[in-house]
Amino acid sequence: MVSDSYDNVKKDDFYFDRREAELIGRLMMSPHELPLVASELEVADFGTPLHRQIWREMGKLYADGKPVSFVSVLMALEASGVEFDKKHLTEIAELTIGSVKLLAPEVLLGSEKRRFEEIAKNINETRQALFDFYKIQKDRFKLRKKLDKSMQT
């Protein structure tokens, strides 16, 4: 089930997830504003599975020239066969504060934050692997030195 209860969101990411929800909610209540940000955002820019699924469905509706409203998004989600938390979708729809032109950059900022965190994680893992490799090489060098000493005697 695609669920995004705010209870399950990491505290640091709450701000960005909330801004994503505000943008989606605002657009479901004011679909005429979707063209203002549709080209700026991609599904991958959204941090939670439900937000990505909603944005995907909103994009399909928009591309097909269909209305992008709470009801049409709800129906599209149900038709997609994806299980989701309807209560959370309703909570999202109620978040209608903020300008979409101001909220879209916030979503992109959250996306960049997640990318940088992933890069930092990969760098840290690489650093650890290099350190482990160095330790192995150092041990091999010591062993080789011991072996050479014992061969000389």
Side-chain angles (χ1 to χ4, degrees):
M1 168 151 77
V2 178
S3 175
D4 290 325
S5 166
Y6 286 119
D7 297 336
N8 299 328
V9 176
K10 289 190 312 189
K11 192 173 183 176
D12 332 357
D13 295 332
F14 178 78
Y15 174 81
F16 292 112
D17 292 340
R18 174 82 180 197
R19 298 306 267 179
E20 291 175 8
E22 288 174 10
L23 174 67
I24 290 168
R26 171 82 181 199
L27 290 171
M28 283 193 286
M29 296 301 149
S30 303
H32 63 278
E33 293 187 284
L34 186 59
L36 297 174
V37 294
S39 63
E40 294 177 32
L41 301 171
E42 300 174 10
V43 171
D45 291 326
F46 291 84
T48 64
L50 181 58
H51 295 169
R52 286 190 293 270
Q53 187 66 31
I54 291 170
W55 190 254
R56 185 178 294 112
E57 296 304 330
M58 289 174 80
K60 287 178 192 175
L61 290 167
Y62 178 69
D64 293 345
K66 295 179 181 173
V68 181
S69 65
F70 174 76
V71 173
S72 60
V73 170
L74 174 62
M75 290 172 55
L77 285 171
E78 288 177 337
S80 74
V82 173
E83 291 184 34
F84 62 96
D85 183 356
K86 291 179 183 163
K87 180 179 179 248
H88 186 65
L89 182 64
T90 304
E91 290 169 357
I92 289 171
E94 292 171 353
L95 296 171
T96 58
I97 58 174
S99 159
V100 295
K101 285 305 279 179
L102 295 176
L103 292 169
E106 297 278 347
V107 171
L108 290 173
L109 188 60
S111 177
E112 286 299 311
K113 177 184 178 286
R114 287 186 295 278
R115 283 190 208 125
F116 283 126
E117 286 172 345
E118 186 63 29
I119 290 168
K121 178 182 164 200
N122 291 339
I123 288 171
N124 200 27
E125 289 171 356
T126 302
R127 182 195 59 78
Q128 184 61 48
L130 286 171
F131 181 72
D132 293 345
F133 177 74
Y134 168 76
K135 283 176 32 181
I136 291 168
Q137 293 301 324
K138 186 177 172 183
D139 291 345
R140 287 180 67 195
F141 179 75
K142 285 180 183 178
L143 187 59
R144 175 77 177 194
K145 203 171 181 179
K146 254 187 190 175
L147 185 62
D148 286 348
K149 261 189 179 176
S150 68
M151 296 284 281
Q152 289 176 354
T153 55

